[in-house]
Amino acid sequence: MELEESKANCFIDDMIAVLQDGKVLLHRQDAQQAVRKLQDLKKKDFIITTEDFEDILRQIKDEMAKVLKSTENAATKSEEEYEDLKNKLTELKAQMSEAEKKHLELKNKFTVLETEQKEEIKRLKVEGSPQQKQLEFEKAKSGMLQMYIEYEKA
């Protein structure tokens, strides 16, 4: 298996870039070991065997599979969290709608009670008029009686 050195270095640089991904692979020991082996490949006096190359490619493939699996797991978890939030939002909307209905019912009851109270006050004023007149008459009568008693004393 032969390859021009510049082309081989380009491929090796691409593989190194993938293995040095700062999010996942940079902190993995096996990925960094593969990076060191790839860097050794770039040395001019280094002789690579097909077996070494296959081993490196297998390690890269394994790491890529692990990255893919962890990405899928993170995506699944995000989807589950999104669905949970969506369900909670729907529940909160239903509760808010119920609270608005209760508020409207209470407001209507208050309006009815207020109207009934105003009507009762009007009724009492109308009915209270003769009683009020009687009370005023009694006060006037009492005042006249008091004046008469004072007149008789004098």
Side-chain angles (χ1 to χ4, degrees):
M1 185 162 80
E2 289 187 31
L3 200 59
E4 288 181 23
E5 186 176 335
S6 62
K7 204 169 192 180
N9 284 338
C10 184
F11 289 141
I12 291 170
D13 288 339
D14 289 343
M15 288 185 270
I16 290 172
V18 169
L19 290 169
Q20 288 183 327
D21 173 58
K23 293 180 182 175
V24 179
L25 300 176
L26 187 63
H27 304 293
R28 294 188 56 126
Q29 185 65 24
D30 47 354
Q32 295 312 305
Q33 184 180 6
V35 168
R36 284 190 293 280
K37 286 183 180 180
L38 286 168
Q39 288 170 338
D40 287 343
L41 282 176
K42 289 177 72 174
K43 295 179 183 173
K44 292 187 185 216
D45 58 348
F46 186 76
I47 298 174
I48 183 169
T49 65
T50 306
E51 189 176 291
D52 290 336
F53 192 69
E54 287 174 355
D55 185 46
I56 291 171
L57 289 177
R58 188 179 66 255
Q59 288 177 9
I60 291 171
K61 182 181 175 185
D62 291 345
E63 285 304 314
M64 295 301 288
K66 289 176 187 176
V67 169
L68 180 61
K69 183 67 176 173
S70 69
T71 302
E72 288 173 351
N73 289 342
T76 301
K77 184 177 178 182
S78 295
E79 287 176 17
E80 290 170 356
E81 289 173 351
Y82 172 75
E83 285 300 318
D84 285 345
L85 288 174
K86 190 173 160 184
N87 291 337
K88 286 179 183 177
L89 180 61
T90 302
E91 189 178 309
L92 286 173
K93 283 181 180 179
Q95 289 175 356
M96 190 170 184
S97 177
E98 188 64 30
E100 287 173 351
K101 286 178 187 176
K102 287 181 182 179
H103 175 0
L104 186 59
E105 287 174 13
L106 288 173
K107 187 176 177 182
N108 289 339
K109 285 180 182 180
F110 178 77
T111 302
V112 168
L113 287 173
E114 188 177 39
T115 303
E116 289 175 356
Q117 183 184 28
K118 286 178 182 178
E119 289 174 7
E120 182 67 15
I121 289 171
K122 281 182 185 178
R123 187 185 65 74
L124 287 174
K125 283 184 178 178
V126 170
E127 289 178 5
S129 289
Q131 293 170 350
Q132 186 68 26
K133 289 178 182 176
Q134 181 67 30
L135 183 60
E136 289 173 5
F137 173 75
E138 291 294 328
K139 282 184 182 178
K141 186 171 122 178
S142 175
M144 299 228 356
L145 184 60
Q146 186 67 27
M147 285 174 34
Y148 176 72
I149 292 173
E150 300 232 356
Y151 176 74
E152 286 290 322
K153 284 184 182 179

Short mmCIF file of all heavy atoms in Angstrom, two decimals, residues 112-151:
data_model
loop_
_atom_site.label_atom_id
_atom_site.label_comp_id
_atom_site.label_asym_id
_atom_site.label_seq_id
_atom_site.Cartn_x
_atom_site.Cartn_y
_atom_site.Cartn_z
N VAL A 112 -73.36 40.22 40.70
CA VAL A 112 -74.73 39.91 41.09
C VAL A 112 -74.99 40.37 42.52
O VAL A 112 -76.00 41.03 42.81
CB VAL A 112 -75.02 38.40 40.95
CG1 VAL A 112 -76.32 38.02 41.62
CG2 VAL A 112 -75.03 38.01 39.47
N LEU A 113 -74.05 40.07 43.42
CA LEU A 113 -74.21 40.48 44.82
C LEU A 113 -74.22 42.00 44.96
O LEU A 113 -75.00 42.56 45.73
CB LEU A 113 -73.09 39.89 45.69
CG LEU A 113 -73.19 38.40 45.97
CD1 LEU A 113 -71.93 37.92 46.69
CD2 LEU A 113 -74.42 38.07 46.79
N GLU A 114 -73.38 42.66 44.21
CA GLU A 114 -73.33 44.12 44.25
C GLU A 114 -74.65 44.72 43.77
O GLU A 114 -75.17 45.65 44.39
CB GLU A 114 -72.16 44.61 43.38
CG GLU A 114 -71.88 46.08 43.49
CD GLU A 114 -70.67 46.49 42.65
OE1 GLU A 114 -70.50 45.97 41.54
OE2 GLU A 114 -69.91 47.35 43.14
N THR A 115 -75.18 44.16 42.71
CA THR A 115 -76.47 44.63 42.19
C THR A 115 -77.58 44.39 43.21
O THR A 115 -78.40 45.28 43.46
CB THR A 115 -76.80 43.91 40.86
OG1 THR A 115 -75.72 44.13 39.95
CG2 THR A 115 -78.10 44.40 40.27
N GLU A 116 -77.59 43.20 43.81
CA GLU A 116 -78.60 42.89 44.83
C GLU A 116 -78.49 43.83 46.02
O GLU A 116 -79.50 44.28 46.57
CB GLU A 116 -78.46 41.43 45.29
CG GLU A 116 -78.90 40.42 44.26
CD GLU A 116 -78.63 38.99 44.70
OE1 GLU A 116 -78.04 38.76 45.79
OE2 GLU A 116 -79.01 38.07 43.93
N GLN A 117 -77.25 44.15 46.40
CA GLN A 117 -77.04 45.05 47.54
C GLN A 117 -77.57 46.44 47.22
O GLN A 117 -78.22 47.06 48.06
CB GLN A 117 -75.54 45.10 47.88
CG GLN A 117 -75.25 45.95 49.09
CD GLN A 117 -73.75 46.06 49.36
OE1 GLN A 117 -72.95 45.98 48.43
NE2 GLN A 117 -73.40 46.25 50.61
N LYS A 118 -77.30 46.93 46.03
CA LYS A 118 -77.79 48.26 45.64
C LYS A 118 -79.32 48.29 45.64
O LYS A 118 -79.92 49.27 46.10
CB LYS A 118 -77.25 48.65 44.26
CG LYS A 118 -75.80 49.02 44.26
CD LYS A 118 -75.29 49.34 42.87
CE LYS A 118 -73.81 49.67 42.89
NZ LYS A 118 -73.29 49.94 41.54
N GLU A 119 -79.94 47.22 45.15
CA GLU A 119 -81.40 47.15 45.14
C GLU A 119 -81.96 47.13 46.56
O GLU A 119 -82.97 47.77 46.86
CB GLU A 119 -81.87 45.92 44.35
CG GLU A 119 -81.64 46.05 42.87
CD GLU A 119 -81.97 44.76 42.10
OE1 GLU A 119 -82.49 43.81 42.72
OE2 GLU A 119 -81.70 44.74 40.90
N GLU A 120 -81.29 46.40 47.45
CA GLU A 120 -81.73 46.32 48.85
C GLU A 120 -81.60 47.68 49.53
O GLU A 120 -82.47 48.09 50.30
CB GLU A 120 -80.90 45.26 49.59
CG GLU A 120 -81.29 45.04 51.04
CD GLU A 120 -82.68 44.43 51.20
OE1 GLU A 120 -83.26 43.90 50.23
OE2 GLU A 120 -83.19 44.51 52.34
N ILE A 121 -80.52 48.40 49.24
CA ILE A 121 -80.33 49.74 49.82
C ILE A 121 -81.44 50.66 49.33
O ILE A 121 -82.02 51.41 50.13
CB ILE A 121 -78.92 50.29 49.48
CG1 ILE A 121 -77.86 49.53 50.26
CG2 ILE A 121 -78.85 51.77 49.76
CD1 ILE A 121 -76.44 49.84 49.85
N LYS A 122 -81.75 50.59 48.05
CA LYS A 122 -82.85 51.41 47.52
C LYS A 122 -84.17 51.06 48.21
O LYS A 122 -84.94 51.93 48.59
CB LYS A 122 -83.00 51.19 46.00
CG LYS A 122 -82.02 51.91 45.17
CD LYS A 122 -82.31 51.63 43.69
CE LYS A 122 -81.27 52.24 42.78
NZ LYS A 122 -81.52 51.92 41.37
N ARG A 123 -84.42 49.76 48.36
CA ARG A 123 -85.65 49.31 49.01
C ARG A 123 -85.73 49.80 50.44
O ARG A 123 -86.76 50.30 50.89
CB ARG A 123 -85.72 47.77 48.97
CG ARG A 123 -87.05 47.21 49.47
CD ARG A 123 -87.03 45.70 49.53
NE ARG A 123 -86.11 45.13 50.49
CZ ARG A 123 -86.28 45.12 51.82
NH1 ARG A 123 -87.33 45.69 52.35
NH2 ARG A 123 -85.40 44.57 52.60
N LEU A 124 -84.62 49.70 51.14
CA LEU A 124 -84.62 50.14 52.55
C LEU A 124 -84.82 51.65 52.65
O LEU A 124 -85.46 52.12 53.59
CB LEU A 124 -83.32 49.73 53.24
CG LEU A 124 -83.18 48.24 53.55
CD1 LEU A 124 -81.80 47.95 54.11
CD2 LEU A 124 -84.25 47.77 54.53
N LYS A 125 -84.27 52.39 51.73
CA LYS A 125 -84.46 53.84 51.75
C LYS A 125 -85.92 54.19 51.54
O LYS A 125 -86.47 55.05 52.21
CB LYS A 125 -83.59 54.52 50.69
CG LYS A 125 -82.15 54.64 51.07
CD LYS A 125 -81.36 55.39 50.02
CE LYS A 125 -79.91 55.54 50.44
NZ LYS A 125 -79.12 56.22 49.43
N VAL A 126 -86.53 53.50 50.59
CA VAL A 126 -87.95 53.75 50.31
C VAL A 126 -88.80 53.31 51.49
O VAL A 126 -89.67 54.04 51.95
CB VAL A 126 -88.38 53.02 49.01
CG1 VAL A 126 -89.89 53.07 48.83
CG2 VAL A 126 -87.68 53.65 47.82
N GLU A 127 -88.55 52.11 52.00
CA GLU A 127 -89.32 51.61 53.13
C GLU A 127 -88.97 52.36 54.41
O GLU A 127 -89.79 52.49 55.30
CB GLU A 127 -89.07 50.11 53.32
CG GLU A 127 -89.68 49.26 52.25
CD GLU A 127 -89.37 47.78 52.44
OE1 GLU A 127 -88.76 47.42 53.46
OE2 GLU A 127 -89.74 46.99 51.56
N GLY A 128 -87.76 52.82 54.50
CA GLY A 128 -87.30 53.51 55.70
C GLY A 128 -87.84 54.92 55.81
O GLY A 128 -87.82 55.51 56.88
N SER A 129 -88.36 55.47 54.77
CA SER A 129 -88.85 56.84 54.80
C SER A 129 -89.95 57.06 55.84
O SER A 129 -89.85 57.98 56.65
CB SER A 129 -89.35 57.27 53.42
OG SER A 129 -88.25 57.42 52.57
N PRO A 130 -91.01 56.24 55.90
CA PRO A 130 -92.02 56.45 56.94
C PRO A 130 -91.43 56.25 58.33
O PRO A 130 -91.77 56.98 59.27
CB PRO A 130 -93.09 55.39 56.65
CG PRO A 130 -92.90 55.04 55.22
CD PRO A 130 -91.45 55.24 54.95
N GLN A 131 -90.57 55.31 58.48
CA GLN A 131 -89.94 55.09 59.78
C GLN A 131 -89.09 56.29 60.16
O GLN A 131 -89.05 56.70 61.32
CB GLN A 131 -89.09 53.82 59.76
CG GLN A 131 -89.91 52.56 59.61
CD GLN A 131 -89.04 51.34 59.36
OE1 GLN A 131 -87.86 51.46 59.13
NE2 GLN A 131 -89.66 50.16 59.42
N GLN A 132 -88.40 56.83 59.18
CA GLN A 132 -87.57 58.01 59.43
C GLN A 132 -88.46 59.18 59.85
O GLN A 132 -88.15 59.91 60.78
CB GLN A 132 -86.76 58.37 58.17
CG GLN A 132 -85.76 59.48 58.34
CD GLN A 132 -84.60 59.08 59.26
OE1 GLN A 132 -84.27 57.92 59.39
NE2 GLN A 132 -84.02 60.06 59.92
N LYS A 133 -89.59 59.34 59.15
CA LYS A 133 -90.52 60.42 59.50
C LYS A 133 -91.07 60.22 60.91
O LYS A 133 -91.20 61.17 61.67
CB LYS A 133 -91.67 60.48 58.49
CG LYS A 133 -91.23 61.00 57.14
CD LYS A 133 -92.38 61.01 56.16
CE LYS A 133 -91.91 61.48 54.80
NZ LYS A 133 -92.95 61.43 53.78
N GLN A 134 -91.38 58.96 61.27
CA GLN A 134 -91.90 58.66 62.61
C GLN A 134 -90.86 59.01 63.66
O GLN A 134 -91.18 59.58 64.70
CB GLN A 134 -92.28 57.18 62.70
CG GLN A 134 -92.84 56.75 64.03
CD GLN A 134 -94.21 57.37 64.32
OE1 GLN A 134 -94.98 57.66 63.40
NE2 GLN A 134 -94.51 57.61 65.58
N LEU A 135 -89.60 58.66 63.38
CA LEU A 135 -88.51 58.96 64.31
C LEU A 135 -88.36 60.46 64.48
O LEU A 135 -88.21 60.96 65.62
CB LEU A 135 -87.20 58.34 63.80
CG LEU A 135 -85.96 58.50 64.68
CD1 LEU A 135 -86.18 57.85 66.05
CD2 LEU A 135 -84.74 57.91 64.02
N GLU A 136 -88.42 61.19 63.42
CA GLU A 136 -88.31 62.66 63.50
C GLU A 136 -89.50 63.25 64.27
O GLU A 136 -89.34 64.17 65.07
CB GLU A 136 -88.23 63.26 62.08
CG GLU A 136 -86.91 62.96 61.40
CD GLU A 136 -86.90 63.40 59.95
OE1 GLU A 136 -87.89 64.02 59.48
OE2 GLU A 136 -85.89 63.13 59.27
N PHE A 137 -90.67 62.69 64.04
CA PHE A 137 -91.86 63.14 64.77
C PHE A 137 -91.71 62.90 66.27
O PHE A 137 -92.00 63.76 67.09
CB PHE A 137 -93.12 62.44 64.24
CG PHE A 137 -94.35 62.72 65.03
CD1 PHE A 137 -95.01 63.95 64.94
CD2 PHE A 137 -94.87 61.76 65.92
CE1 PHE A 137 -96.14 64.21 65.69
CE2 PHE A 137 -95.99 62.03 66.66
CZ PHE A 137 -96.64 63.25 66.56
N GLU A 138 -91.23 61.71 66.63
CA GLU A 138 -91.04 61.37 68.04
C GLU A 138 -90.01 62.31 68.68
O GLU A 138 -90.17 62.72 69.83
CB GLU A 138 -90.60 59.91 68.19
CG GLU A 138 -91.66 58.89 67.83
CD GLU A 138 -92.85 58.92 68.78
OE1 GLU A 138 -92.67 59.22 69.97
OE2 GLU A 138 -93.96 58.66 68.30
N LYS A 139 -88.95 62.62 67.96
CA LYS A 139 -87.93 63.54 68.48
C LYS A 139 -88.55 64.92 68.70
O LYS A 139 -88.31 65.57 69.73
CB LYS A 139 -86.74 63.65 67.52
CG LYS A 139 -85.79 62.51 67.59
CD LYS A 139 -84.60 62.77 66.66
CE LYS A 139 -83.62 61.64 66.64
NZ LYS A 139 -82.53 61.88 65.73
N ALA A 140 -89.32 65.37 67.74
CA ALA A 140 -89.96 66.70 67.86
C ALA A 140 -90.94 66.71 69.04
O ALA A 140 -91.00 67.66 69.82
CB ALA A 140 -90.67 67.06 66.57
N LYS A 141 -91.70 65.63 69.17
CA LYS A 141 -92.67 65.52 70.26
C LYS A 141 -91.94 65.54 71.60
O LYS A 141 -92.36 66.22 72.53
CB LYS A 141 -93.47 64.23 70.07
CG LYS A 141 -94.60 64.05 71.05
CD LYS A 141 -95.44 62.85 70.62
CE LYS A 141 -95.49 61.83 71.70
NZ LYS A 141 -96.31 60.67 71.40
N SER A 142 -90.85 64.81 71.68
CA SER A 142 -90.08 64.75 72.92
C SER A 142 -89.50 66.12 73.25
O SER A 142 -89.49 66.56 74.40
CB SER A 142 -88.95 63.73 72.77
OG SER A 142 -88.13 63.72 73.90
N GLY A 143 -89.05 66.81 72.20
CA GLY A 143 -88.49 68.14 72.41
C GLY A 143 -89.56 69.11 72.90
O GLY A 143 -89.33 69.94 73.79
N MET A 144 -90.76 69.03 72.37
CA MET A 144 -91.85 69.90 72.80
C MET A 144 -92.26 69.57 74.23
O MET A 144 -92.56 70.47 75.02
CB MET A 144 -93.05 69.75 71.86
CG MET A 144 -92.67 70.14 70.47
SD MET A 144 -93.67 71.21 69.51
CE MET A 144 -95.10 71.66 70.22
N LEU A 145 -92.29 68.26 74.55
CA LEU A 145 -92.64 67.87 75.90
C LEU A 145 -91.62 68.41 76.88
O LEU A 145 -91.98 68.90 77.97
CB LEU A 145 -92.72 66.34 75.98
CG LEU A 145 -93.17 65.75 77.30
CD1 LEU A 145 -94.57 66.23 77.68
CD2 LEU A 145 -93.13 64.24 77.25
N GLN A 146 -90.38 68.37 76.52
CA GLN A 146 -89.29 68.89 77.35
C GLN A 146 -89.46 70.39 77.55
O GLN A 146 -89.34 70.90 78.67
CB GLN A 146 -87.93 68.59 76.71
CG GLN A 146 -86.74 68.94 77.55
CD GLN A 146 -86.65 68.04 78.80
OE1 GLN A 146 -87.11 66.90 78.82
NE2 GLN A 146 -86.10 68.56 79.86
N MET A 147 -89.81 71.09 76.49
CA MET A 147 -90.03 72.54 76.59
C MET A 147 -91.25 72.85 77.49
O MET A 147 -91.23 73.78 78.29
CB MET A 147 -90.26 73.15 75.20
CG MET A 147 -88.98 73.26 74.41
SD MET A 147 -89.11 73.80 72.70
CE MET A 147 -90.42 74.91 72.63
N TYR A 148 -92.28 72.04 77.40
CA TYR A 148 -93.46 72.24 78.22
C TYR A 148 -93.13 72.04 79.69
O TYR A 148 -93.56 72.79 80.55
CB TYR A 148 -94.58 71.29 77.76
CG TYR A 148 -95.82 71.36 78.63
CD1 TYR A 148 -96.66 72.48 78.56
CD2 TYR A 148 -96.11 70.36 79.54
CE1 TYR A 148 -97.78 72.56 79.38
CE2 TYR A 148 -97.23 70.44 80.35
CZ TYR A 148 -98.06 71.54 80.25
OH TYR A 148 -99.16 71.62 81.04
N ILE A 149 -92.35 70.96 79.97
CA ILE A 149 -91.97 70.69 81.36
C ILE A 149 -91.14 71.85 81.89
O ILE A 149 -91.36 72.30 83.03
CB ILE A 149 -91.18 69.36 81.46
CG1 ILE A 149 -92.11 68.19 81.16
CG2 ILE A 149 -90.54 69.20 82.82
CD1 ILE A 149 -91.42 66.86 81.07
N GLU A 150 -90.29 72.39 81.13
CA GLU A 150 -89.46 73.51 81.56
C GLU A 150 -90.32 74.74 81.75
O GLU A 150 -90.09 75.53 82.66
CB GLU A 150 -88.34 73.75 80.53
CG GLU A 150 -87.46 72.56 80.37
CD GLU A 150 -86.00 72.90 80.50
OE1 GLU A 150 -85.63 74.07 80.65
OE2 GLU A 150 -85.22 71.95 80.48
N TYR A 151 -91.29 74.88 80.90
CA TYR A 151 -92.19 76.05 81.04
C TYR A 151 -93.01 75.94 82.32
O TYR A 151 -93.22 76.92 83.01
CB TYR A 151 -93.11 76.11 79.81
CG TYR A 151 -94.14 77.20 79.90
CD1 TYR A 151 -93.77 78.54 79.74
CD2 TYR A 151 -95.46 76.91 80.17
CE1 TYR A 151 -94.72 79.54 79.84
CE2 TYR A 151 -96.41 77.90 80.26
CZ TYR A 151 -96.04 79.21 80.10
OH TYR A 151 -96.98 80.21 80.19
#
